[in-house]
Amino acid sequence: MRLCRYDDDRLGVVIGDQVHDVTPAQDEIRRAARYDMFGDAVIAALPEWSGKIAEMAKKAPGKPLSQVKLLPPVARPSKVMAAPTNYRAHIAEMAERSGTAPENHRGIGAAGIFLKANSSIVGPSGTIPLRFLERLNEHELEVVIIIGKKGTNISRENALDHIAGYCMGLDMTTRGKEDRSFRKSIDGYSPVGPWIVTADEIADPDNLPIVLTVNGVTKQESNTSNLVYDIRKLIEFASSFYTLHPGDYFFTGTPNGVSPVRPGDWVTAACPQIGELKIQASEQK
Ligand code: MN
C-alpha cells in the first residue's frame, strides 16, 4: 500500500495515479490516541488498521495525484535519524576532496548515527529554501526507513518487524566545519516522500536501485546492496542508543555523486519500488 498525506492534513492511499481519501480512518485513530505518546499515532496504528484502510480506499473517491499537494508522509515523527558515511564510494569521494586516504575517515561504527531537526522536514509540495548560497549546498540521495513499532536494543533478526515502510529522502547538506546535525538541520533540508510504501511491498530492502537527477541530469545512481551497514544493522545500531518510535524517519546514507544544488534546480530522488520524490530548490528569504 502507498500511504500519503496531502492537501490540508488529509490521509490518502495512492492507487495508480489517483489518491483515495481515507481521512476518516486518520480522524478515528487520532481521537483514540494519547496526546503524550511519542511518535505518530497513524503509523503506530497501521498493524491494526492497514486492512481497514485498504478496504476504505477501494470505496473512496479518487483525485488525480497531479491535483493534490503532497505533504511529508508522517505528521508527527519523534525524531529524524541519519546514517553518515554508509556507502564506500561516497567515503572515497569525500576523502578525495579533502586529499586524505579513505582509511583515515571514520566509518559509521565510529561516527555513529546523527539526528536532523524535525523542523527540517518538508514534503514534495514544498521547496528546499537554500541558505548560505556562498557555501556549498549539496544533495544526498537516500532511502528513508519509517519506523513502525516502538523498540530498543532491537536485534538484527527482529529489525524488519519494526519497519512500517519506506520513502525517498534528500539529506540536504551545507558543507562546512560545524556539527553534521547543525548543517543538515536547516529548514527544508530534509525533503521526504512522495509517500510511504508499506514494508510488505518491499521484498528485499537491501536490494533497492536508487537514482537522483538534478534538472534531468543523473548525478547519483546506486543500490542499497552497497550499504556498509545494511537496513537490519542500522536498526540494530541506532536502537542500541535510542528507543525507536512509530513514525521516526531514518535516512540510511548516501552513495557517491553528491553535487551542488542552487535555487531553481529540480531535484528528483527515485526508486522503482518506492516512487519518485521531486522537489525544487528556492532561496530562503
Ligand atoms: Mn546523508
Side-chain angles (χ1 to χ4, degrees):
M1 187 162 57
R2 300 183 165 202
L3 268 181
C4 72
R5 291 181 57 251
Y6 69 103
D7 291 349
D8 184 17
D9 191 27
R10 307 201 73 77
L11 183 70
V13 174
V14 179
I15 303 170
D17 63 355
Q18 301 277 310
V19 181
H20 297 265
D21 190 349
V22 293
T23 308
Q26 173 173 267
D27 293 341
E28 196 173 329
I29 292 165
R30 287 182 179 172
R31 266 197 301 276
R34 288 183 59 123
Y35 181 81
D36 63 356
M37 77 172 289
F38 262 116
D40 186 90
V42 173
I43 303 299
L46 283 181
E48 185 192 339
W49 273 85
S50 58
K52 283 186 264 186
I53 288 172
E55 281 305 307
M56 200 183 281
K58 285 185 200 160
K59 296 169 201 149
K63 192 174 172 184
L65 266 170
S66 58
Q67 289 174 28
V68 307
K69 286 190 169 169
L70 289 172
L71 304 173
V74 179
R76 205 183 274 187
S78 87
K79 60 183 164 300
V80 180
M81 298 168 279
T85 59
N86 205 21
Y87 287 81
R88 285 194 180 80
H90 175 59
I91 298 169
E93 76 179 345
M94 297 310 276
E96 193 176 323
R97 274 189 195 182
S98 64
T100 51
E103 309 83 77
N104 295 338
H105 288 252
R106 283 193 303 175
I108 181 170
I113 302 298
F114 67 94
L115 299 174
K116 289 171 71 100
N118 290 9
S119 49
S120 66
I121 289 284
V122 65
S125 62
T127 66
I128 308 167
L130 297 170
R131 301 194 189 202
F132 310 113
L133 298 182
E134 73 286 4
R135 291 174 61 172
L136 185 55
N137 285 282
E138 291 188 307
H139 56 75
E140 293 191 354
L141 162 68
E142 313 206 2
V143 167
V144 177
I145 300 166
I146 314 289
I147 299 298
K149 190 169 82 171
K150 182 179 173 180
T152 193
N153 291 320
I154 300 162
S155 69
R156 175 177 181 81
E157 291 68 37
N158 294 331
L160 295 189
D161 296 342
H162 288 262
I163 297 178
Y166 304 86
C167 68
M168 300 307 296
L170 296 172
D171 175 18
M172 292 298 302
T173 304
T174 300
R175 300 290 173 204
K177 292 192 186 307
E178 303 95 336
D179 276 354
R180 279 194 179 92
S181 63
F182 194 50
R183 292 182 284 109
K184 291 168 173 271
S185 284
I186 296 170
D187 293 354
Y189 275 43
S190 301
V192 283
W195 40 66
I196 298 170
V197 173
T198 51
D200 57 294
E201 294 198 5
I202 303 293
D204 182 4
D206 293 316
N207 185 18
L208 296 172
I210 51 175
V211 62
L212 176 139
T213 65
V214 178
N215 303 325
V217 179
T218 300
K219 298 288 186 181
Q220 294 188 274
E221 194 164 12
S222 190
N223 188 299
T224 54
S225 61
N226 295 316
L227 285 168
V228 176
Y229 275 20
D230 64 15
I231 299 296
R232 290 171 180 83
K233 186 152 185 174
L234 285 170
I235 299 275
E236 183 179 59
F237 185 45
S239 73
S240 71
F241 279 72
Y242 311 133
T243 294
L244 311 189
H245 294 282
D248 284 359
Y249 290 106
F250 198 163
F251 285 68
T252 55
T254 194
N256 59 313
V258 299
S259 77
V261 178
R262 298 179 186 88
D265 286 346
W266 280 99
V267 185
T268 66
C271 167
Q273 290 95 323
I274 297 174
E276 182 182 273
L277 164 65
K278 184 175 185 185
I279 189 166
Q280 191 174 30
S282 61
E283 183 177 354
Q284 195 264 341
K285 303 282 184 197

